[in-house]
Amino acid sequence: MNPVSTTATAPWDRIEGKIQPWHRDRLAVIYVRQSTPQQVLHHAESTRLQYGLTQRAVDLGWAVSRVLVIDEDLGHSASGMEARPGFQRLVSEVGPDHVGLVLGVEMSRLARSGREWHQLLELCALSGALLADPDGIYDPPTTTTRCCWG
């Protein structure tokens, strides 16, 4: 009888074959966001987790100099990309193939609308950028698994 392994693999450890060397030649971008100044004050753990993704990018093989934190929208409530310069900056970085990985704690909250979210997904798919959240790393053109990308 073969013993069954009870050791679980953390989602971040299931990256085999997804991150290529050319991904690491590009930026890893962390988009930090909370809607209001009150959320920033009263939900400091969320802010800490989002900034902590910088270390996650380093652990995944990115040089510190290749990690970009975009936090211009932290504490700003807005509807639409026009009122969120940080999200506009994220999209503009992904578009010209500058980004290898986009990290976020709650990827479903990255964009304010389905249109924005699908634009970002399409740009990631076209440029080859990966997306990562606490559940794993996703390659937009090949991901068929469940995710927050409703």
Side-chain angles (χ1 to χ4, degrees):
M1 182 174 201
N2 292 334
V4 176
S5 173
T6 59
T7 304
T9 303
W12 288 103
D13 294 335
R14 295 188 294 255
I15 62 171
E16 59 280 335
K18 290 184 183 176
I19 300 176
Q20 301 299 317
W22 61 267
H23 285 113
R24 291 183 182 103
D25 291 338
R26 297 177 178 183
L27 296 173
V29 178
I30 295 115
Y31 178 66
V32 178
R33 179 179 178 279
Q34 285 179 290
S35 295
T36 66
Q38 291 77 21
Q39 285 179 336
V40 175
L41 289 173
H42 299 294
H43 301 286
E45 179 67 9
S46 175
T47 304
R48 186 190 67 75
L49 288 171
Q50 291 180 70
Y51 281 110
L53 291 172
T54 299
Q55 184 58 49
R56 176 52 62 196
V58 170
D59 292 346
L60 290 170
W62 268 263
V64 173
S65 63
R66 303 297 300 156
V67 178
L68 171 64
V69 175
I70 297 176
D71 59 2
E72 291 95 326
D73 299 336
L74 186 62
H76 295 277
S77 183
S79 61
M81 212 169 22
E82 299 78 28
R84 294 189 306 136
F87 189 78
Q88 282 183 314
R89 182 175 171 205
L90 172 63
V91 168
S92 70
E93 289 288 343
V94 171
D97 299 341
H98 292 159
V99 176
L101 182 67
V102 176
L103 296 106
V105 171
E106 293 181 45
M107 296 302 281
S108 64
R109 302 232 342 113
L110 202 67
R112 296 291 293 184
S113 71
R115 181 185 59 79
E116 287 180 359
W117 177 239
H118 286 97
Q119 176 189 18
L120 180 61
L121 280 176
E122 185 174 339
L123 287 172
C124 287
L126 291 171
S127 70
L130 302 170
L131 293 160
D133 67 14
D135 293 325
I137 297 173
Y138 309 96
D139 187 0
T142 61
T143 298
T144 58
T145 60
R146 150 309 326 132
C147 183
C148 50
W149 308 346

